[in-house]
Amino acid sequence: MEQFIIKGGNALSGEVEISGAKNAALALIAAAIMTDETVTIENLPDVRDVNVLLESIEQIGATVERLNPHCVKINGKTIKSTVVDYEHIKKIRASYYLLGALLGKFNEAEVALPGGCNIGSRPIDQHLKGFKALGADVEVEYGMIVTKADKLVGNHIYFDVVSVGATINVMLAAAMADGNTNIENAAKEPHVVDVANMLNKMGANIKGAGTDVIRIKGVKKLKGTDYSVIPDQIEAGTYMMAAAITKGNVLIKNVIPKHLEAISSKLTEIGCKVEEYDDAVRVIGAEKTKSTHVKTLPYPGFPTDMQPQMTVALALAEGTSVVTESIFENRFKYVDELGRMGAHIKVEGNTAIIEGIERYTGASIIAPDLRAGAALVVAGLAAEGYTTVEDIKYIERGYERMDEKLRSLGAQIERVNSEKDITKFKLKVV
Ligand code: UD1
């Protein structure tokens, strides 16, 4: 029964160091197996999803040497199987990047179809459309996606929806295809650019990542490199919200402020102060915050992965706020939990209508997924009394040492395992 227990009410202050981006790291690990030479990845976040993907590539034969929690050496020369079974894929959706990486390198891959996910149905039809356009046969058999090609040949691919995963997957598969591939309506997220940058350092020829047209000239082979993962935009945004909601003053370090613009501008709109430095941002909370409207959109729009944290902040803003979720269909499940802390939020379809309240009150709540879980922790930091958050395994998929980082900012939070731990915590914080 691992939980976080939080005694809310402390304004956060001090400095916090942001880890490497989980979503970039996952794609970079898949890209790394495409060469027979060694790829060293630094600034790796030490989180569960990353560790599970490293196990998956080890399981198919790649050599994985963890030099320290934040640095790994990967060598794909020793891979002996192109089949990734359900045992691995069920734990982590992004193992679908192994489809693009294995298909690109070996012209075949067999990866279990990712299961459902609790933020709504998440089809991968665009990934498969891309592989087919490159000349691969794609079948779904016995729960596995089986893809094979005599050889991959570059093509013109137009995505019907903007998808981060499909853009990266097709980029991986096309990097060593014969001829040129153009991806249109590509996702522009920072981690798409990060993957293109690493592939280019490995010898690929990819231009336009970060715009909606990506042009890839296939190369014969890829080589080893050293690469450092970009900072995690969503982890940074989560600490920005934590500073804002506790009326704190926090310097968030090791970030790329440009990646945080959508978040910074919403915080400014509700009355907080955001100062930008070269590789840091400072957030200073406001005594009273104002309501606003937010709509999630692909980058550079407001990220869907920050929607729950933003809603948690708006629930304490004066007036009526409206949050529209336009990426995933079922991403307001945490709202009931927040209601147990006193929030006034009504969800209609993909819109949440939020009436600001004065304060949260602590409650026992359950993390429904990764980002919503983190958002509920943030709510607990501002709540009167004690909040316990269950199912923190979701949070630990993507946040490195969240309790420790928050404690260093003055929060009263602990990871507990038993009633005894809870009593001990309560005695300590009184
Ligand atoms: C990635 C992120 C996730 C983030 C999301 C949106 C990783 C590992 N995960 O997920 O944290 O919330 O981007 O920023 O990087 N879609 C289709 N067909 C497809 C693919 C996607 O219809 O083949 C739809 C999805 O249902 C969704 C939208 O496109 O509505 C965007 O999804 P996508 O960008 O692909 O998300 P992921 O890559 O799965």
Side-chain angles (χ1 to χ4, degrees), residues 155-220:
N155 201 347
H156 196 93
I157 297 161
Y158 175 85
F159 285 134
D160 304 321
V161 292
V162 179
S163 159
V164 177
T167 302
I168 292 178
N169 233 341
V170 171
M171 221 159 62
L172 294 172
M176 289 192 281
D178 261 11
N180 299 346
T181 299
N182 284 355
I183 305 176
E184 293 212 43
N185 202 20
K188 296 180 276 202
E189 266 67 2
H191 42 300
V192 173
V193 181
D194 212 33
V195 179
N197 285 344
M198 187 174 99
L199 285 169
N200 283 340
K201 273 193 86 184
M202 292 168 69
N205 185 339
I206 302 174
K207 295 205 169 89
T211 74
D212 45 24
V213 183
I214 299 180
R215 296 192 162 82
I216 304 164
K217 275 197 174 132
V219 294
K220 285 267 169 293

Side-chain angles (χ1 to χ4, degrees), residues 120-399:
S121 105
R122 293 172 78 170
I124 59 161
D125 56 305
Q126 300 301 306
H127 304 230
L128 306 187
K129 169 177 159 170
F131 298 150
K132 283 182 191 157
L134 297 175
D137 284 330
V138 183
E139 304 283 344
V140 179
E141 285 170 354
Y142 307 105
M144 304 290 281
I145 301 165
V146 182
T147 173
K148 224 182 200 132
D150 291 334
K151 65 173 187 175
L152 294 173
V153 181
N155 201 347
H156 196 93
I157 297 161
Y158 175 85
F159 285 134
D160 304 321
V161 292
V162 179
S163 159
V164 177
T167 302
I168 292 178
N169 233 341
V170 171
M171 221 159 62
L172 294 172
M176 289 192 281
D178 261 11
N180 299 346
T181 299
N182 284 355
I183 305 176
E184 293 212 43
N185 202 20
K188 296 180 276 202
E189 266 67 2
H191 42 300
V192 173
V193 181
D194 212 33
V195 179
N197 285 344
M198 187 174 99
L199 285 169
N200 283 340
K201 273 193 86 184
M202 292 168 69
N205 185 339
I206 302 174
K207 295 205 169 89
T211 74
D212 45 24
V213 183
I214 299 180
R215 296 192 162 82
I216 304 164
K217 275 197 174 132
V219 294
K220 285 267 169 293
K221 70 185 226 192
L222 296 172
K223 58 180 196 286
T225 192
D226 291 351
Y227 196 77
S228 179
V229 184
I230 49 163
D232 197 309
Q233 170 206 17
I234 306 301
E235 188 196 19
T238 304
Y239 286 97
M240 290 169 79
M241 290 298 160
I245 194 179
T246 61
K247 306 183 175 78
N249 180 336
V250 176
L251 185 69
I252 294 141
K253 293 172 32 175
N254 183 32
V255 300
I256 299 174
K258 186 159 180 28
H259 295 169
L260 303 171
E261 267 168 9
I263 302 160
S264 301
S265 78
K266 283 295 157 190
L267 280 175
T268 311
E269 235 173 87
I270 65 172
C272 301
K273 209 167 149 195
V274 181
E275 294 168 359
E276 284 186 7
Y277 303 95
D278 286 347
D279 60 356
V281 291
R282 179 181 293 284
V283 175
I284 305 167
E287 214 28 65
K288 275 201 180 309
T289 47
K290 301 181 287 248
S291 60
T292 192
H293 290 194
V294 178
K295 184 174 183 183
T296 63
L297 287 170
Y299 188 83
F302 192 89
T304 172
D305 285 356
M306 281 299 299
Q307 180 262 100
Q309 301 88 317
M310 187 77 222
T311 301
V312 160
L314 291 177
L316 295 181
E318 220 166 3
T320 307
S321 298
V322 178
V323 173
T324 308
E325 173 55 59
S326 72
I327 311 285
F328 291 112
E329 62 191 17
N330 192 9
R331 215 170 183 177
F332 283 120
K333 286 216 299 218
Y334 65 92
V335 159
D336 288 344
E337 298 297 302
L338 212 51
R340 307 189 58 245
M341 300 178 74
H344 288 174
I345 305 176
K346 200 167 137 210
V347 175
E348 280 175 9
N350 65 346
T351 302
I353 299 143
I354 306 161
E355 296 295 340
I357 54 163
E358 284 286 319
R359 63 186 168 89
Y360 288 121
T361 46
S364 289
I365 49 180
I366 298 174
D369 63 65
L370 164 60
R371 303 302 173 186
L376 293 170
V377 169
V378 171
L381 297 173
E384 212 172 85
Y386 295 99
T387 298
T388 52
V389 183
E390 276 180 47
D391 275 355
I392 60 172
K393 61 176 189 288
Y394 288 119
I395 300 172
E396 292 180 339
R397 279 185 41 207
Y399 288 85

